[in-house]
Amino acid sequence: MKVIYTDVLIVGGGLAGLRVATGVKERGHDAIVLSLVPPKRSHSAAAQGGMQASLANSKMGEGDNEDVHFSDTIKGSDWGADQLVVRMFTHCAPKAIRELAHWGVPWSRVQKGDRSAIINAQKVTISEKEEAHGLITARDFGGTKKWRTCYTSDGTGHSMLFAMANKARQEEVEIHERMEAMSIVHENGRCFGVIARNLMNGELVAYIAKTTTIATGGYGRIYSVSTNAVICQGTAHAMVLETGIGTLGNMEAIQFHPTAIVPVGILTTEGCRGDGGLLLDKDGYRFMPDYEPDKKELASRDVVSRRMTEHMRKGKGVKSRYGDHLWLDITILGRKHIEKNLREVKEICENFLGIDPAEEWIPVRPTQHYSMGGIRTKYTGESQTIKGLYSCGEAACWDMHGFNRLGGNSVSETVVSGMLVAEYISDFLDSKESDMEIHSAKVESFLQKEQDKIDKLLTNTNGEDAYVLRRRMEEIMMEKVGIFRNAKDLKEAVDELEGLYKRSKNIEVFRSKSRAANPALFNAYRTQKMIKVALTAAMGAYLREESRGAHSREDFPARDDKNWLKRTITSWPDENQTLPTVTYEEIEINSMELPPGFRGYGKDLTEHHPDTKTKVDKVEMLTKDMQEKGMSRFEIQDKLMPFIDKLPKKYQGINERFGENI
Amino acid sequence: MSMDEKSRLLKISILRFDPHDPEDFPHMETFEIREAHGMTLYVALNEIREHHDNSLKFDFVCRAGICGSCSMLVNGRPSLACRTLTSKYDEHITLAPLPLFELIGDLSVYTGKWMRGLNKRLESWIHDKEEELNVDKLEERMEPALADEIYELDRCVECGCCVAGCGTAQMNPYFVGAVGLNKIARYQLDPRDKRSDDDYYELIGNEDGVFGCMTLLGCEDVCPKDLPLQSKIAYLRRMMIKNTLK
């Protein structure tokens, strides 16, 4: 048995995983990163538009701060997020971006003087202050009060990932590439590492570590069309379920991005609309102002995706051989702007659609994009149920996004959660608590179990074809667990997925029997895992009888705080179960800084919780009182919901920003 | 998948070899598939894997031309397969793995290992002389035009096409390739990196670096990101020569 020991094992080599690795290295701990692909090819690289951080450097960002970012994020989440976590996040986002600037990200900068921009289809002139010249600039994104999304053209994720990976290289973080985590080694509620499989030669390796962090991104590929990279399959989420004790949070909270190109589902950034692009229907008519007169194209993602779908249902979509779509018009931004700030979009249009977006409209439609749900953790990133197991980034549900994520908050979350979790892990490792003891026979039994599963897949006869099961699962998710959901479809989805799950136990790898780099083999075991994950999402959606953020039930159109202000928790305690176990975790109104309210889109249908009114009055009264006493925004915030002491010491400091605290 | 009568029958010939199979030897295998509207090699290869031969090995990650995983020889030319539309080619398309990199199997090559080695060798990270950063403070300023210029070079995705298209790299396995030279040009431009021209000379002022380039410029022809490799290599050469003369 090959065993590799380390202090910190990290599964996933994207932004979140690499940031954890770098952080623990700085604190003197050893780290190994397991990655399916070379880390620089991780899906983080595909983030285009930008990273939210309330720097307030640009003219249109003036007046921005942590408070505004906090309130935008909570509203965006439809009050599903953990407010403590969001506070920690908004406080640290400026620090994370400055750190990345220091490590080499060429953030776009403020150019003093006049520049022209397109806002609400009008050409306007924005005058940037001389004193702000050369500081990091920002663009507009959906659901934000201020221009807060910092960027490098539309290759932000790429630049961040390369800087991060280079930093990890400098810190000599060990990267074990093309290694796939297969199962979590655990005993008595403590995680001891993973069994991993080398995708080049098929060897199984036991990685034993004091802490294990899962940073594997989302599970978008359970849908047949997704903007996600092909490796975003959620198999690590299934691995957590397979411990029997690990839990996942809000798996039904799945985001659809308004503007992926048709038919292949490749993303065109929200920056297109942030910079002034418009959505048009088959008549070339700009329809969003009719639905959302205030925010128009820049309403929150879930809202825009629903409005687009509604509009297409009215027969206003453009017919194509791949179904209806709408148009994204960025021609009004002009060629110069597109070639500077929307270069990836331009390349994508040229290569995949054969069009020039400076001349022609882009065919788009809402497409699966982001997983708000994930491995349920405490604010420290540690699993609520397995000691020594951590998760961060899109893979996790710590829970920063609730039921809808704001554009620009995901890459921001990766680096912020990575820097925080690295500190919490290091603190744990520095304590006696991290000591561990596990028998080699126990480790061997976990490895043997994986070996047996692979043997069975390769030697099974008269079995099922993994591709057939997988394609059906993808279709079910597309058709029945999509943007608009209802009980009938969801029930059918759960039933049919359960049937697929049972069949998946009898998968056979046909013809291709190699134990080494065998794509048929990895498709087989990944399909088994993906169906499990699909079931958690479908079950969660079926049971949640309300509409919140991206989870929109036609049969329950109102957000129902009275009954549903809670997180869905799924687990799989018994491996013979064919459906996940679902429980709920209350979201306490009393501990909130920003009590539930109206997001400001469409009609307010909210069914309020009885405690909401009392809490709203209390917060208002307190705030007014403290303002009258002349207390600072920091002092007021601290009274409403203290969070600073939860942060690692090194990140507790007050942020300087242009025009504040300097 | 549309199967209308007019669509072409594609013949996709692939250079196959599984180094883990002692019985196997490099050979060409041809698959026939019906072309679909807007079909890319990503779609075509997945269709072959799913319906014709499930052992076919290739690498795709983002499938959007962003991550650089899927570089291979398409009719002999290094290209990103995911964004290669079959409609731009005759019905017979030949695919081979990217040369000069370790072969994993069929069209899958180990570019990651090569690139990590290169990054280590060139120390492609910001050298800031251990300046401790106070993350609470306002960020360092940078001229907007300079930030844009650095970004331009930062767009490299390490796909390896430039190495596969390079004459020198064919003969000298230690040559850093355009990918390496571009990195030096990028850091040299960046005021946050405190390395001197002497330091850069140490890294690339030799046959394995900028003086190994024969100016064939296959790199610039095949770079999927259209990086200004020609002008940057020329610039580095002038800089290096100036450095030796001083």
Side-chain angles (χ1 to χ4, degrees):
Chain A
M1 176 174 62
K2 184 167 173 181
V3 188
I4 293 173
Y5 299 93
T6 186
D7 295 331
V8 182
L9 179 69
I10 294 149
V11 184
L15 278 170
L18 291 175
R19 184 60 189 85
V20 173
T22 308
V24 297
K25 271 290 221 187
E26 275 178 8
R27 292 268 307 256
H29 305 291
D30 268 343
I32 294 178
V33 175
L34 307 185
S35 183
L36 288 175
V37 297
K40 284 179 176 172
R41 315 233 188 274
S42 303
H43 188 51
S44 304
Q48 296 171 1
M51 161 171 177
Q52 282 206 42
S54 59
L55 300 181
N57 293 326
S58 66
K59 178 76 195 161
M60 301 301 285
E62 266 177 29
D64 198 11
N65 58 35
E66 299 86 353
D67 298 350
V68 190
H69 191 184
F70 170 80
S71 126
D72 284 347
T73 304
I74 299 300
K75 286 177 186 166
S77 80
D78 222 351
W79 275 271
D82 182 326
Q83 301 203 356
L84 177 76
V85 166
V86 177
R87 261 296 168 194
M88 290 167 57
F89 161 71
T90 55
H91 176 80
C92 291
K95 303 180 198 301
I97 198 168
R98 285 165 180 166
E99 188 179 73
L100 284 162
H102 190 65
W103 292 344
V105 175
W107 297 108
S108 290
R109 303 287 170 147
V110 176
Q111 171 73 52
K112 66 186 171 194
D114 288 354
R115 67 189 170 100
S116 68
I118 307 281
I119 300 177
N120 191 22
Q122 304 294 317
K123 202 167 186 168
V124 295
T125 300
I126 298 171
S127 304
E128 298 290 359
K129 287 201 173 116
E130 183 157 359
E131 311 88 85
H133 183 77
L135 295 172
I136 296 171
T137 191
R139 60 170 28 135
D140 200 7
F141 252 40
T144 64
K145 276 213 181 70
K146 303 284 177 184
W147 291 25
R148 185 187 300 128
T149 305
C150 307
Y151 60 95
T152 55
S153 182
D154 59 348
T156 314
H158 164 85
S159 284
M160 290 171 70
L161 183 62
F162 269 52
M164 195 66 248
N166 292 338
K167 179 69 187 168
R169 195 87 193 80
Q170 181 188 4
E171 298 289 333
E172 294 180 343
V173 169
E174 234 180 286
I175 307 283
H176 293 196
E177 185 185 308
R178 295 182 194 252
M179 289 297 296
E180 175 165 17
M182 305 291 284
S183 69
I184 291 170
V185 179
H186 64 101
E187 192 178 38
N188 302 326
R190 171 77 199 263
C191 173
F192 295 99
V194 306
I195 303 299
R197 183 171 174 272
N198 182 320
L199 292 171
M200 292 180 286
N201 62 21
E203 185 183 29
L204 288 174
V205 182
Y207 283 87
I208 301 303
K210 286 183 173 175
T211 67
T212 301
T213 303
I214 295 177
T216 48
Y219 44 89
R221 283 282 158 180
I222 59 174
Y223 287 80
S224 52
V225 184
S226 165
T227 63
N228 287 187
V230 300
I231 51 172
C232 302
Q233 297 175 311
T235 49
H237 295 88
M239 194 168 78
V240 170
L241 288 173
E242 286 164 0
T243 61
I245 50 174
T247 55
L248 306 180
N250 289 343
M251 292 297 279
E252 69 273 34
I254 291 164
Q255 178 170 82
F256 292 79
H257 194 289
T259 61
I261 63 169
V262 178
V264 288
I266 293 171
L267 179 74
T268 59
T269 172
E270 186 157 310
C272 292
R273 284 170 289 129
D275 291 1
L278 304 175
L279 291 168
L280 308 176
D281 67 12
K282 65 170 184 178
D283 305 317
Y285 175 73
R286 183 187 178 197
F287 58 93
M288 276 309 294
D290 295 354
Y291 294 99
E292 298 297 339
D294 185 25
K295 285 279 189 176
K296 307 177 188 71
E297 280 84 357
L298 287 173
S300 245
R301 282 185 182 168
D302 57 328
V303 177
V304 179
S305 287
R306 276 196 293 278
R307 297 308 199 181
M308 289 169 74
T309 308
E310 265 181 85
H311 201 62
M312 287 191 282
R313 283 180 176 181
K314 287 179 187 162
K316 295 292 184 185
V318 184
K319 300 269 175 251
S320 84
R321 69 164 88 194
Y322 298 108
D324 289 4
H325 66 77
L326 293 158
W327 299 113
L328 171 63
D329 175 12
I330 58 170
T331 61
I332 53 168
L333 308 183
R335 181 172 300 279
K336 204 175 139 202
H337 180 91
I338 292 169
E339 287 178 355
K340 179 166 180 283
N341 287 323
L342 297 167
R343 303 177 59 150
E344 296 297 329
V345 168
K346 182 161 184 283
E347 269 189 20
I348 286 165
C349 288
E350 287 167 350
N351 290 310
F352 294 91
L353 298 167
I355 64 164
D356 174 359
E359 301 283 339
E360 288 166 273
W361 299 343
I362 310 167
V364 294
R365 141 172 101 206
T367 301
Q368 194 289 333
H369 180 62
Y370 189 81
S371 315
M372 275 79 72
I375 297 158
R376 182 74 185 118
T377 72
K378 308 171 196 171
Y379 72 84
T380 56
E382 189 176 32
S383 157
Q384 294 182 328
T385 50
I386 307 177
K387 199 179 159 89
L389 178 70
Y390 291 77
S391 180
C392 64
E394 188 176 354
C397 175
W398 60 328
D399 164 10
M400 191 187 123
H401 307 298
F403 276 76
N404 173 62
R405 171 177 71 79
L406 295 182
N409 261 356
S410 71
V411 280
S412 201
E413 176 190 29
T414 61
V415 283
V416 170
S417 65
M419 68 195 238
L420 295 179
V421 170
E423 295 303 315
Y424 297 126
I425 287 177
S426 298
D427 292 345
F428 174 68
L429 290 173
D430 289 344
S431 76
K432 280 301 275 177
E433 242 189 303
S434 66
D435 285 353
M436 66 175 206
E437 210 173 290
I438 185 168
H439 287 290
S440 62
K442 186 77 193 175
V443 177
E444 189 131 24
S445 74
F446 274 92
L447 190 134
Q448 192 55 47
K449 200 172 165 190
E450 291 311 305
Q451 191 60 61
D452 293 346
K453 280 190 211 163
I454 287 166
D455 290 345
K456 189 183 168 202
L457 289 168
L458 290 170
T459 55
N460 199 15
T461 50
N462 297 317
E464 297 276 355
D465 183 342
Y467 277 114
V468 172
L469 303 184
R470 179 162 164 194
R471 295 297 171 233
R472 187 57 204 145
M473 167 200 71
E474 292 169 352
E475 277 166 24
I476 295 167
M477 293 306 289
M478 282 298 280
E479 288 161 15
K480 299 176 197 285
V481 198
I483 294 175
F484 285 105
R485 302 168 174 182
N486 62 67
K488 181 179 161 290
D489 284 351
L490 290 167
K491 180 75 175 74
E492 284 171 12
V494 171
D495 289 347
E496 214 189 321
L497 287 168
E498 187 184 14
L500 293 180
Y501 175 68
K502 290 176 185 161
R503 288 169 63 192
S504 74
K505 295 195 164 191
N506 185 32
I507 285 177
E508 169 186 354
V509 176
F510 298 103
R511 299 177 303 278
S512 177
K513 301 290 188 188
S514 166
R515 285 172 187 277
N518 180 356
L521 177 60
F522 68 63
N523 182 57
Y525 58 72
R526 287 180 193 170
T527 297
Q528 292 175 324
K529 286 182 151 68
M530 289 170 83
I531 295 174
K532 250 182 212 167
V533 173
L535 264 170
T536 62
M539 266 291 264
Y542 171 56
L543 295 174
R544 183 173 284 274
E545 297 184 332
E546 65 153 355
S547 292
R548 184 180 298 272
H551 172 71
S552 185
R553 287 282 299 256
E554 290 163 313
D555 41 356
F556 299 96
R559 187 180 94 207
D560 180 359
D561 287 353
K562 213 148 97 188
N563 299 299
W564 286 100
L565 196 56
K566 46 193 177 190
R567 266 174 213 113
T568 308
I569 303 294
T570 38
S571 60
W572 211 289
D574 178 347
E575 59 183 315
N576 296 314
Q577 278 179 229
T578 54
L579 287 175
T581 296
V582 180
T583 58
Y584 294 94
E585 180 188 312
E586 293 294 325
I587 301 175
E588 285 285 322
I589 289 179
N590 264 326
S591 61
M592 289 181 184
E593 177 181 337
L594 184 64
F598 175 46
R599 281 174 84 196
Y601 300 116
K603 261 192 253 124
D604 185 6
L605 301 168
T606 312
E607 187 74 48
H608 279 289
H609 191 280
D611 294 351
T612 298
K613 180 80 176 67
T614 331
K615 180 72 184 178
V616 170
D617 292 347
K618 194 174 159 196
V619 168
E620 264 176 28
M621 210 181 68
L622 269 170
T623 311
K624 200 170 152 239
D625 184 47
M626 289 187 281
Q627 277 168 345
E628 277 167 9
K629 284 186 183 140
M631 288 163 79
S632 74
R633 69 180 181 89
F634 300 102
E635 291 167 317
I636 295 173
Q637 193 288 320
D638 186 58
K639 285 280 175 296
L640 294 176
M641 190 186 68
F643 74 96
I644 283 285
D645 64 338
K646 297 279 192 289
L647 287 168
K649 272 257 165 346
K650 65 193 279 196
Y651 298 130
Q652 290 183 357
I654 290 177
N655 296 313
E656 274 189 10
R657 64 170 51 73
F658 184 59
E660 194 191 33
N661 312 319
I662 294 185
Chain B
M1 213 69 23
S2 103
M3 296 289 262
D4 42 321
E5 286 163 38
K6 278 181 222 155
S7 77
R8 303 185 298 172
L9 189 66
L10 297 176
K11 290 187 185 60
I12 301 189
S13 298
I14 301 172
L15 177 54
R16 302 201 60 184
F17 178 50
D18 181 355
H20 288 281
D21 179 358
E23 312 271 288
D24 201 14
F25 55 92
H27 61 284
M28 295 301 290
E29 191 169 352
T30 301
F31 300 92
E32 291 189 352
I33 57 164
R34 190 61 68 181
E35 186 171 40
H37 180 74
M39 187 180 243
T40 58
L41 285 177
Y42 163 73
V43 175
L45 285 169
N46 274 292
E47 197 174 315
I48 293 171
R49 184 191 271 178
E50 194 165 338
H51 299 294
H52 298 268
D53 187 339
N54 61 359
S55 71
L56 182 65
K57 290 171 261 300
F58 48 76
D59 293 319
F60 289 99
V61 180
C62 77
R63 63 79 176 88
I66 288 169
C67 77
S69 300
C70 62
S71 31
M72 58 180 74
L73 296 182
V74 181
N75 286 352
R77 188 186 173 88
S79 314
L80 293 182
C82 72
R83 63 179 213 188
T84 300
L85 291 164
T86 55
S87 59
K88 294 194 171 164
Y89 290 82
D90 292 342
E91 52 273 348
H92 193 176
I93 300 172
T94 305
L95 303 178
L98 208 62
L100 307 181
F101 295 95
E102 186 180 324
L103 182 73
I104 293 170
D106 298 336
L107 300 170
S108 172
V109 291
Y110 208 169
T111 50
K113 187 177 168 186
W114 197 95
M115 293 297 168
R116 270 205 309 284
L118 177 77
N119 281 303
K120 187 180 180 188
R121 188 172 148 200
L122 299 181
E123 301 190 6
S124 60
W125 51 81
I126 299 284
H127 291 57
D128 52 10
K129 309 274 187 232
E130 302 303 315
E131 232 174 83
E132 186 75 33
L133 174 75
N134 181 344
V135 289
D136 300 339
K137 298 271 179 223
L138 218 59
E139 64 273 14
E140 287 276 319
R141 287 167 201 265
M142 183 182 271
E143 270 308 307
L146 179 59
D148 293 347
E149 218 181 317
I150 295 169
Y151 174 69
E152 181 68 31
L153 306 185
D154 208 43
R155 291 179 74 239
C156 168
V157 295
E158 298 187 2
C159 63
C161 285
C162 61
V163 178
C166 172
T168 302
Q170 310 279 335
M171 298 182 293
N172 176 6
Y174 303 104
F175 184 54
V176 295
V179 53
L181 297 174
N182 177 67
K183 280 183 196 302
I184 295 298
R186 180 242 176 274
Y187 285 99
Q188 197 267 342
L189 202 57
D190 196 327
R192 293 169 293 195
D193 194 318
K194 306 290 187 249
R195 281 180 285 187
S196 67
D197 287 355
D198 280 347
D199 294 333
Y200 293 124
Y201 187 84
E202 282 298 310
L203 292 170
I204 58 158
N206 55 27
E207 292 286 296
D208 299 334
V210 76
F211 299 121
C213 170
M214 301 185 290
T215 333
L216 300 174
L217 299 172
C219 53
E220 177 144 331
D221 289 346
V222 298
C223 175
K225 293 287 151 186
D226 294 322
L227 295 174
L229 300 171
Q230 175 178 3
S231 60
K232 287 300 151 191
I233 292 172
Y235 167 77
L236 285 176
R237 252 197 213 148
R238 287 198 302 276
M239 184 188 115
M240 292 295 151
I241 290 168
K242 219 167 80 188
N243 198 62
T244 51
L245 294 178
K246 87 179 169 195

